[in-house]
């Protein structure tokens, strides 16, 4: 686990030095109808992004001392900083479009209370569930909005949240691997139900944003569970998904006629700002991380 944590620490250190933000001069028109539809919803997500992270930091320090993982608090600190950057970017967007900030929301209070009662492992179960559902939410918002600045913000958040989910999943899988088989199966089932419940709650409370893209709660919950299965589901299922995604094209039959010559390659597109962080989001690294996830061994594990 030390080696893997070092990779994550490097990832978060690298991105802390690269202040990604929407491209300068990007189109930033939010029509009144859309503003009315999304205002309360993005204000609630902005509230979640600006959580202080004090409980998480304390839990990480305790866990790091107990498990001799000195790099963990630094990674958690960077992760909290990224969430705060999301909060600032969303707040700036909201201020430019006269959308008021929210001081509190009952769903946010419930999640904060639950996390306060938890140690790091349970905290991460709750956090990764919220992040998986958050990715589904930002994807839906990016597809639905006509405001290019908001779309780019969503895609930037998705790139960061995918890395958060990758890191949290790696830690949870390593912890889960230490448990007997019946506990692993029970944890997996309960966690899946919790993710589905969280997704349903978010769909019910953010319907005006999610309905245009997903249509029904079933589709939104299904999309969130697909993310869960990929990162945290049973290994055979995840490996099959990876095989399907990265399957090589079939070899041509020796009797088949030779394929036509390929047309010349198109001109390279202009360079765009790096929305998706390199490293864990490259397909090769993603595949490697996914397929090697069960090789993670915690000290004493
Ligand atoms: Fe975030
Ligand atoms: Fe996150």
């Amino acid at each position: 686990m030390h080696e893997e944590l070092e990779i994550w620490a490097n990832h978060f250190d690298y991105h802390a030095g690269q202040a990604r933000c929407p491209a300068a001069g990007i189109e930033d028109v939010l029509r009144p109808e859309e503003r009315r539809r999304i205002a309360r919803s993005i204000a609630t997500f902005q509230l979640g992004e600006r959580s202080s992270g004090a409980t998480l930091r304390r839990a990480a320090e305790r866990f790091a001392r107990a498990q001799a993982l000195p790099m963990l608090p630094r990674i958690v600190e960077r992760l909290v900083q990224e969430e705060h950057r999301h909060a600032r970017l969303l707040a700036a967007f909201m201020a430019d479009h006269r959308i008021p900030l929210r001081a509190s929301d009952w769903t946010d209070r419930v999640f904060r209370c639950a996390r306060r009662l938890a140690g790091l492992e349970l905290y991460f179960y709750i956090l990764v569930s919220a992040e998986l559902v958050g990715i589904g939410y930002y994807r839906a918002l990016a597809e639905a909005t006509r405001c290019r600045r908001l779309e780019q913000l969503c895609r930037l958040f998705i790139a960061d949240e995918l890395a958060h989910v990758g890191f949290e999943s790696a830690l949870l899988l390593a912890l889960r691997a230490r448990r007997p088989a019946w506990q692993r199966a029970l944890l997996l089932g309960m966690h899946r139900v919790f993710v589905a419940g969280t997704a349903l709650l978010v769909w019910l409370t953010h319907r005006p944003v999610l309905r245009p893209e997903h249509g029904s709660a079933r589709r939104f919950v299904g999309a969130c569970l697909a993310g869960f299965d990929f990162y945290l589901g049973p290994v055979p299922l995840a490996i099959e998904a990876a095989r399907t995604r990265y399957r090589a094209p079939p070899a041509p039959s020796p009797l088949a006629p030779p394929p036509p010559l390929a047309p010349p390659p198109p001109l390279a597109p202009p360079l765009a700002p790096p929305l998706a962080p390199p490293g864990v989001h490259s397909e090769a690294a993603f595949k490697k991380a996914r397929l090697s996830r069960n090789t993670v061994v915690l000290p004493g594990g």
Side-chain angles (χ1 to χ4, degrees), residues 5-155:
L5 284 185
E6 197 173 334
I7 293 170
W8 282 112
N10 288 337
H11 166 87
F12 283 106
D13 283 349
Y14 174 81
H15 286 284
Q18 311 288 317
R20 290 186 305 275
C21 55
I26 192 167
E27 177 257 294
D28 186 20
V29 177
L30 189 66
R31 297 189 308 176
E33 178 278 326
E34 188 179 347
R35 181 184 171 280
R36 269 195 304 279
R37 187 160 51 83
I38 68 168
R40 187 179 169 86
S41 176
I42 64 169
T44 305
F45 266 78
Q46 198 275 341
L47 181 62
E49 300 277 14
R50 69 176 199 253
S51 166
S52 78
T55 311
L56 176 57
R57 286 190 187 99
R58 278 197 300 275
E61 273 161 22
R62 277 198 303 272
F63 189 87
R65 271 197 301 276
Q67 302 286 336
L69 296 170
M71 231 167 271
L72 188 64
R74 178 172 130 211
I75 299 172
V76 166
E77 181 62 35
R78 294 292 196 204
L79 189 148
V80 171
Q81 285 171 3
E82 279 196 358
E83 301 295 10
H84 289 170
R85 194 165 53 80
H86 296 174
R88 287 195 300 276
L89 287 169
L90 259 184
F93 175 81
M94 290 163 64
D96 289 347
H97 293 281
R98 292 170 289 104
I99 297 174
L101 294 173
R102 295 196 71 177
S104 71
D105 179 79
W106 71 269
T107 51
D108 186 63
R109 280 198 300 277
V110 167
F111 271 88
R112 284 185 200 220
C113 273
R115 291 190 308 228
R116 223 167 273 149
L117 299 171
L120 188 77
E121 186 175 2
L122 184 53
Y123 195 117
F124 266 33
Y125 274 109
I126 298 169
L127 185 61
V128 80
S129 308
E131 309 229 63
L132 283 165
V133 176
I135 289 169
Y137 172 86
Y138 286 128
R139 277 192 175 134
L141 183 55
E143 293 299 320
T145 185
R146 295 189 174 188
C147 174
R148 296 284 71 84
R149 179 184 174 190
L150 181 58
E151 181 192 348
Q152 215 171 74
L153 277 176
C154 291
R155 299 208 183 281

